[in-house]
Amino acid sequence: MTGAAAQKSKIPLLCATVLVSEVLVIYFAALAGFGLRPVPFGWVIGGATALAALCILAVATLPRRRGQRSAGIALGWLAQILILAAGFVMTSLFFVGAVFGVMWAVAVYWGRRMDRELTAWGR
């Protein structure tokens, strides 16, 4: 395999799956916040929308080629930290943040590892 297809990174495939799944869970948490009313509903929806937008921005800026640097991974880590911090508003988000934080770390690790191994294999 040569050309552009050979240089595609595996990071977007793995990391985008985690972030898009996280967007769905964030909005389910917002629905739970509607019933629990930990803070005014506008704040719940605003926070969920901001977190979802951050996750989508992270997906859009993930590196597309092996070895490429971009802000996507750092934005993904920021999203994980903010979701953990949202646990102070709704305590169930501590669990959600921890689970997705581990999934994010695994996706970044394995994406980078696959990229390194595919680069070494192609030489």
Side-chain angles (χ1 to χ4, degrees), residues 51-122:
L51 285 171
L54 179 62
C55 289
I56 292 170
L57 179 64
V59 168
T61 58
L62 285 170
R64 301 290 179 218
R65 299 177 65 80
R66 288 187 223 153
Q68 180 183 13
R69 297 283 181 201
S70 70
I73 293 175
L75 289 174
W77 280 116
L78 178 62
Q80 305 313 312
I81 291 167
L82 290 176
I83 290 169
L84 269 175
F88 290 109
V89 177
M90 286 179 49
T91 56
S92 61
L93 288 177
F94 282 129
F95 176 73
V96 170
V99 168
F100 276 101
V102 168
M103 289 171 56
W104 175 254
V106 168
V108 170
Y109 171 78
W110 280 102
R112 286 182 174 162
R113 183 173 173 178
M114 285 192 288
D115 284 352
R116 279 193 312 268
E117 289 178 4
L118 287 171
T119 300
W121 185 66

Side-chain angles (χ1 to χ4, degrees), residues 3-82:
Q7 295 299 319
K8 285 181 71 171
S9 175
K10 301 302 179 200
I11 290 174
L13 176 68
L14 299 172
C15 293
T17 302
V18 173
L19 289 172
V20 170
S21 300
E22 202 162 15
V23 168
L24 296 172
V25 171
I26 288 169
Y27 277 112
F28 286 133
L31 287 174
F34 173 71
L36 297 174
R37 303 239 189 239
V39 293
F41 186 62
W43 285 97
V44 171
I45 291 297
T49 302
L51 285 171
L54 179 62
C55 289
I56 292 170
L57 179 64
V59 168
T61 58
L62 285 170
R64 301 290 179 218
R65 299 177 65 80
R66 288 187 223 153
Q68 180 183 13
R69 297 283 181 201
S70 70
I73 293 175
L75 289 174
W77 280 116
L78 178 62
Q80 305 313 312
I81 291 167
L82 290 176

